[in-house]
Amino acid sequence: MKIVIIGGVAAGTSAAAKARRNNEEVQISIFDADQDVSYSGCGLPYYIGTDIEEREQLVPRNAQFFKQKYNVDVFTGHRVLAIEHQAKTLTVENLATGQWFSESYDKLIIATGAQAVRPPLAGSDKANVFHLRNVVSADRIRRQVLETRPQTAVVVGSGFIGLEMAENLTARGIRVSVVEVAEHVMPALDADMAVYVADYLTQQGVEVIVRDAVTRLEGAPLVNRVVLASGRELPADLVILAAGVRPDVELARRAGVELGPTGAIKVNTRMQTNIADVYACGDCAESYSLITGKPFYRPLGSTANKMGRIAGDQATGGDLTFRGGLGTGIFKVFDLAVGQTGLSEKEAKREGYEAVVCHIIKPDKPEYYHGQELVIKAVADRASGRVLGAQVIGKAGVDKRLDVLVTAITFGAKAEDLFHLDLAYAPPFATTKDPVMYAGMVLTNALERQRELITAAELKAKLDKGEAVQVIDARVAKQYAAGHVAGARNLPQEHIREELTTLDPATLTVTYCNKGVTGNATQNILINHGFRQVLNLSGGYKQYARQFKPKDGGDDHA
């Protein structure tokens, strides 16, 4: 039997390795138009920056390695031009010689990956305008940076690659501006979490521009300024176009392979396409959500490796199947880690869930043991109590909390289950009640114990509309004076019982403190004294101030 794989990065090489482990007799070939295979695409920005010095660190394996270790024939610089599935043949071009030839297969695995989105911008063909997609493109950017010593750079797009490039160009001493057409950076995050990323970028000297678009790139022979839709012009010795990626499916589409609603190749749990003996995996293929069961597209190296392994197993008679995913992702920008999994609040609402959210602001370990603050936004379904997703941001301990939440969500955990997790504790590692456990406690209180939450955005909207809300700041007077929600009355928790007769139990009441704990304690007192509807501000004043940045002593709503 002969297996041919189109594409030799994460998914393709994983498929080849698994197929060989299953069967020593099968003939396996990989064709890839690129000169590099099995490279670490996620490490490319750090090669352009100062963290990775040698190219070989990103490309530790070559064609000779795969032949010697796996007896797999790897043909780099070979582009597959057509798939004739009825004849089970491919038309292949040797890019070095220009010659075409035909290659037969018994099983075909398509792992063509993704390609960079290329906005149709005037000037994007200039020599100092780049997309980062493979090692060769990283070589070009690195060479440009080291040889021309640019002083300014504009990064178009603020996803993983865009922000990682902003960090690494800054590390090279370049003044960076990031331009994002959406409402906020990292559009995959909810706005109330993306603000942490934007603020931190600004602190590191990166200019953040949102709700604006690049219209053209000007200058000759090289670009020296970027013109925005707003009319603003940005100086630019270097431009990185990081507007996202799309699945590379044209070859498959021409062959009659069915595409799914996301535009990627439609596959079943066995990585099979609609054509017999043709599989697809990696960034060219759809995944599906463990939450909704619906197809989604999440081009991630971890998912690509998993899909590739399953495709190689199935092509050699195995029984591995794909269980779906949560779209889990994490990246680092300077010293800040940003992670997400499952549904965001906006996605949950779009899918028809009645989303209940909480913001937990806690140190990753005790402050006396160098703990650093992290923020968890967790989303649960009111009807079932199931945890739907989470976003975690901080300088330490983010990956640990994210992976705990991923595991819990994967196995259908409800909010109440998070508190009962028997998590590891010692001061060098965690707090006695871990931030994940706090998320479970707060969500459960809201879902089952009538201790409802209100988000900063929801409270701000009510105040802006002039709705009747009595807002109680339960902190001490000094904290209140430093900053507070507009119209809030300062009633520290220890004095609230003395002031009950001055409050209206029939009016919607919102309590808050710095982060949520004292606000919840005040909420309990009021509810136990017969107040009809008392909501605690999720994440407290710290979250509110982060989102709306009040001025004049914190009173943002004069």
Side-chain angles (χ1 to χ4, degrees):
M1 185 173 71
K2 185 176 183 181
I3 297 174
V4 174
I5 300 168
I6 307 174
V9 191
T13 53
S14 292
K18 181 59 177 173
R20 174 58 71 219
R21 291 187 189 102
N22 282 3
N23 190 322
E24 268 297 310
E25 303 302 321
V26 65
Q27 180 182 344
I28 305 171
S29 300
I30 297 175
F31 292 97
D32 197 300
D34 202 352
Q35 70 181 47
D36 302 296
V37 294
S38 193
Y39 58 82
S40 175
C42 298
L44 297 177
Y46 304 100
Y47 172 58
I48 295 165
T50 59
D51 288 332
I52 298 176
E53 289 297 328
E54 301 299 329
R55 191 183 199 275
E56 290 70 26
Q57 293 176 262
L58 293 173
V59 193
R61 303 176 186 89
N62 56 20
Q64 183 180 8
F65 170 89
F66 280 96
K67 184 63 177 177
Q68 290 178 343
K69 183 164 184 175
Y70 294 108
N71 191 24
V72 170
D73 296 306
V74 177
F75 300 91
T76 57
H78 283 68
R79 186 187 307 279
V80 176
L81 302 175
I83 301 168
E84 293 83 28
H85 64 85
Q86 292 180 330
K88 288 193 171 183
T89 60
L90 309 175
T91 301
V92 184
E93 179 186 9
N94 183 328
L95 298 178
T97 65
Q99 293 181 319
W100 292 17
F101 61 92
S102 181
E103 181 79 10
S104 64
Y105 68 84
D106 295 301
K107 305 277 188 180
L108 177 66
I109 298 175
I110 301 173
T112 45
Q115 54 185 294
V117 173
R118 299 178 181 271
L121 292 173
S124 61
D125 58 341
K126 301 292 177 62
N128 61 337
V129 180
F130 300 93
H131 296 87
L132 178 61
R133 192 60 204 142
N134 55 19
V135 185
V136 171
S137 65
D139 286 334
R140 291 171 181 157
I141 299 171
R142 180 184 169 99
R143 191 178 309 116
Q144 183 80 9
V145 168
L146 295 180
E147 292 178 0
T148 69
R149 302 292 178 181
Q151 299 299 302
T152 58
V154 173
V155 176
V156 183
S158 65
F160 287 14
I161 294 297
L163 296 189
E164 288 170 348
M165 283 302 302
E167 173 191 348
N168 284 282
L169 292 175
T170 300
R172 290 286 186 186
I174 302 170
R175 191 167 73 252
V176 179
S177 298
V178 173
V179 180
E180 173 58 61
V181 69
E183 291 292 310
H184 54 78
V185 297
M186 279 300 295
L189 294 177
D190 287 320
D192 53 6
M193 295 297 280
V195 67
Y196 288 90
V197 181
D199 287 352
Y200 191 70
L201 285 167
T202 301
Q203 292 169 17
Q204 302 306 311
V206 176
E207 182 180 22
V208 176
I209 301 167
V210 296
R211 297 184 293 277
D212 209 346
V214 174
T215 57
R216 61 187 184 277
L217 310 176
E218 295 185 343
L222 300 177
V223 169
N224 58 32
R225 64 187 174 275
V226 173
V227 181
L228 306 183
S230 63
R232 187 176 175 191
E233 295 185 359
L234 304 174
D237 301 320
L238 178 72
V239 177
I240 304 293
L241 300 179
V245 298
R246 63 167 61 98
D248 189 350
V249 296
E250 183 57 27
L251 174 66
R253 187 193 64 77
R254 291 199 310 266
V257 174
E258 184 180 357
L259 305 183
T262 68
I265 296 173
K266 182 178 181 179
V267 293
N268 61 17
T269 59
R270 302 175 186 276
M271 300 292 107
Q272 295 168 322
T273 70
N274 61 307
I275 296 176
D277 297 323
V278 177
Y279 305 80
C281 54
D283 290 357
C284 64
E286 282 185 338
S287 181
Y288 68 89
S289 169
L290 281 170
I291 302 292
T292 68
K294 296 179 181 179
F296 69 1
Y297 182 63
R298 296 290 192 276
L300 297 164
S302 52
T303 304
N305 273 280
K306 193 183 302 180
M307 284 181 156
R309 183 171 187 265
I310 293 167
D313 185 67
Q314 287 287 335
T316 48
D319 60 0
L320 284 178
T321 57
F322 186 60
R323 298 182 180 183
L326 295 171
T328 304
I330 189 170
F331 75 104
K332 179 183 77 72
V333 55
F334 298 97
D335 291 328
L336 192 71
V338 182
Q340 64 183 117
T341 190
L343 302 182
S344 64
E345 179 185 3
K346 60 189 173 187
E347 288 172 332
K349 290 178 176 178
R350 189 167 62 237
E351 290 293 335
Y353 293 99
E354 186 178 353
V356 177
V357 305
C358 72
H359 299 78
I360 304 301
I361 304 176
K362 295 288 181 182
D364 69 303
K365 51 184 176 286
E367 293 179 0
Y368 65 76
Y369 206 97
H370 322 297
Q372 298 188 75
E373 198 166 80
L374 58 76
V375 184
I376 296 176
K377 179 179 182 178
V379 184
D381 172 35
R382 183 177 295 280
S384 66
R386 183 182 180 187
V387 183
L388 300 176
Q391 297 164 46
V392 190
I393 295 176
K395 292 185 177 180
V398 169
D399 54 344
K400 170 180 175 176
R401 274 71 190 194
L402 186 68
D403 284 342
V404 169
L405 287 161
V406 168
T407 305
I409 295 170
T410 298
F411 292 101
K414 294 184 178 182
E416 64 186 57
D417 297 324
L418 298 182
F419 171 70
H420 294 285
L421 294 174
D422 190 13
L423 301 178
Y425 162 69
F429 307 104
T431 51
T432 51
K433 286 199 288 287
D434 191 86
V436 171
M437 298 169 71
Y438 270 109
M441 292 163 58
V442 173
L443 285 174
T444 302
N445 282 341
L447 289 164
E448 299 179 9
R449 296 181 175 88
Q450 293 77 53
R451 270 44 178 178
E452 298 280 357
L453 299 165
I454 186 170
T455 66
E458 291 167 340
L459 175 58
K460 185 71 161 57
K462 288 181 179 295
L463 295 176
D464 287 345
K465 291 176 184 177
E467 295 184 17
V469 184
Q470 53 187 0
V471 182
I472 297 175
D473 186 318
R475 302 173 299 165
V476 299
K478 183 179 179 180
Q479 293 172 317
Y480 176 83
H484 57 268
V485 174
R489 184 178 172 188
N490 187 208
L491 294 175
Q493 181 207 343
E494 58 267 31
H495 302 306
I496 192 70
R497 293 177 181 86
E498 304 162 13
E499 300 290 342
L500 290 175
T501 57
T502 68
L503 299 170
D504 181 4
T507 298
L508 172 64
T509 304
V510 173
T511 61
Y512 73 86
C513 60
N514 263 351
K515 302 177 186 178
V517 175
T518 302
N520 172 248
T522 305
Q523 178 188 35
N524 288 331
I525 293 170
L526 295 176
I527 289 174
N528 290 335
H529 279 84
F531 280 64
R532 294 182 186 174
Q533 187 177 16
V534 186
L535 309 178
N536 188 27
L537 181 60
S538 183
Y541 183 71
K542 201 154 194 175
Q543 178 66 39
Y544 188 92
R546 176 74 72 165
Q547 285 182 243
F548 300 113
K549 298 175 175 56
K551 299 183 178 73
D552 301 326
D555 197 337
D556 67 303
H557 191 81

